[in-house]
Amino acid sequence: MQDLAEGVAQFQRGVFPAKAALFAHLAATHRPSTLFISCSDARVVPELITQSEPGELFVIRTAGNLVPAYAPGPDGVAAGIEYAVAVLGVSDIVVCGHSACGAMTALAEQHDLSGMPAIADWLRHADAAPAHADTAELAALVRGNVRAQLANLATHPSVARALAERRLTLHGWVYDIPTGTVDDVAA
Ligand SMILES: [Zn+2]
């Protein structure tokens, strides 16, 4: 925690003053253009990868960048999607997978998740057939999962409506940690 407190102090001293006008504007304005859905993985940093400023990305992060298909009932991911699309009016949604994803690896290698019931239940939202631990197969699984989550996203009523009215575009990306490459995944 010491590092985090030092980081906050450094932010206040060295970063905030240079962006003071932006933060003053953002105090009363929230108009992000993009909903960015990525994995919770600490190595995937949406604002860094896309060089976005505060206020530009509305971010939802889940283990495995999974987006459950729409179902009635309390659902934090669904609420975030509805808020971004129906209230904030984002024009684009990116679902971003990544290399070496722990969630995808657990599925590919059929890890024993019996002691992790929450993870086991959550990963059922992934569309992943067991594969070998092979890097190429894991990469294919990551891409396939991004495609599956884009399909799930389209089942959310706010998203379906915005797509039908042609005011929303969906994008699939895969971020490669060791090279910094971002590849498009066709929906
Ligand atoms: Zn991941």
Side-chain angles (χ1 to χ4, degrees), residues 39-41 43-44 62-65 98-104:
C39 185
S40 300
D41 193 295
R43 299 164 295 178
V44 180
T62 67
N65 43 272
H98 68 100
S99 64
C101 182
M104 295 300 107

Side-chain angles (χ1 to χ4, degrees), residues 14-15 17-18 21 28-29 42 45 48 63 87 93-94 117 119 135 139 147 153 182:
V15 178
T29 308
V45 184
L48 184 68
V87 180
I93 303 179
V94 177
I119 296 174
T135 318
R147 260 183 230 110
L153 195 51
V182 174

Side-chain angles (χ1 to χ4, degrees), residues 31-44:
R31 280 265 151 249
S33 61
T34 302
L35 165 59
F36 197 97
I37 301 175
S38 78
C39 185
S40 300
D41 193 295
R43 299 164 295 178
V44 180

Side-chain angles (χ1 to χ4, degrees), residues 113-124:
L113 300 175
S114 53
M116 293 166 265
I119 296 174
D121 279 346
W122 177 248
L123 292 184
R124 286 192 234 290

